[in-house]
Amino acid sequence: MVAFRGPRVWLWRWRRNPLRRRSDRIEAWVVLAAWAFTVLGGVITGLLATRAVEHNLDRQRVEWRPVVAQLTEDAPGAVASSAPGTARVWAEVRWTARDGSAHTGQTRVAPASAVGTPVTVWTDTDGRMVTEPATRSEARVRSSLIGVLVGVTAAGVPFVSGRLVRGRLERRRMDEWDEEWERVGPLWGRKTW
């Protein structure tokens, strides 16, 4: 059963009205709390996520370093006549970390590169191969997008919770009206003259 909804009257739940029920007052507080937590929770969580991601990307930019590695095998493929960097293939490379330890890994190189060809790879503080760190502008865009996504997701929790509570309150209110109608409805069928 769906309740009839007339024209929308702003702040009707907060006005004094002899027909206002306890469930209407509860619903008013639920709506207020849900919207407050939706807006504030979403904004604060989004800003915190943005700062955390941006801080992490800044740290990567400081700690990660380029290292010259050499191919350990001939790269597959034919010599490409197109512009450099367009067609790349996977090949194994070897490099020496800052602490002197030798490392190997897979990276993308130009096709048909010979053994011993120098290739630049990026490593973290432990000498493990990583991707090239994001530039400052890329980090700003990436952290903003992640912040928006996290903020919207966090805002969805109180919003959906508020909608569920409101739905439950409305079902309960409809049940109460049905019970009252069962008591009052039969009285309307009697003749009073």
Side-chain angles (χ1 to χ4, degrees):
M1 175 181 262
V2 176
F4 170 74
R5 295 184 189 262
R8 186 175 293 259
V9 178
W10 293 101
L11 301 174
W12 69 269
R13 289 180 183 93
W14 299 100
R15 295 181 181 176
R16 292 205 181 276
N17 184 341
L19 300 177
R20 185 175 66 177
R21 298 172 182 237
R22 180 174 180 258
S23 63
D24 294 330
R25 289 190 298 274
I26 293 171
E27 186 175 359
W29 285 107
V30 166
V31 169
L32 180 66
W35 277 108
F37 284 121
T38 296
V39 172
L40 293 176
V43 169
I44 290 170
T45 306
L47 289 173
L48 289 174
T50 299
R51 289 189 63 187
V53 170
E54 197 163 346
H55 174 73
N56 188 37
L57 294 174
D58 288 343
R59 184 181 51 77
Q60 288 176 359
R61 229 181 353 270
V62 170
E63 293 176 357
W64 292 1
R65 296 280 178 242
V67 174
V68 177
Q70 283 83 31
L71 281 172
T72 60
E73 59 186 21
D74 288 335
V79 177
S81 61
S82 61
T86 55
R88 310 288 267 172
V89 295
W90 288 99
E92 188 169 312
V93 294
R94 176 175 292 137
W95 70 94
T96 304
R98 284 184 249 175
D99 63 0
S101 60
H103 294 272
T104 60
Q106 293 275 328
T107 190
R108 296 184 67 89
V109 298
S113 297
V115 172
T117 302
V119 178
T120 301
V121 296
W122 287 83
T123 60
D124 63 7
T125 54
D126 297 328
R128 293 180 301 229
M129 190 184 316
V130 294
T131 60
E132 183 176 352
T135 63
R136 186 171 299 280
S137 61
E138 290 171 343
R140 202 173 305 122
V141 169
R142 193 178 299 172
S143 62
S144 297
L145 290 174
I146 291 173
V148 167
L149 181 64
V150 169
V152 168
T153 303
V157 172
F159 179 77
V160 170
S161 299
R163 295 293 292 182
L164 291 173
V165 170
R166 283 186 66 198
R168 176 66 182 124
L169 287 171
E170 191 161 328
R171 280 192 302 279
R172 184 172 165 202
R173 188 168 41 245
M174 291 296 115
D175 291 343
E176 288 173 0
W177 284 354
D178 286 343
E179 289 172 11
E180 288 178 22
W181 181 252
E182 286 177 12
R183 284 194 313 254
V184 175
L187 299 177
W188 285 18
R190 294 186 193 164
K191 295 187 178 183
T192 57
W193 64 85

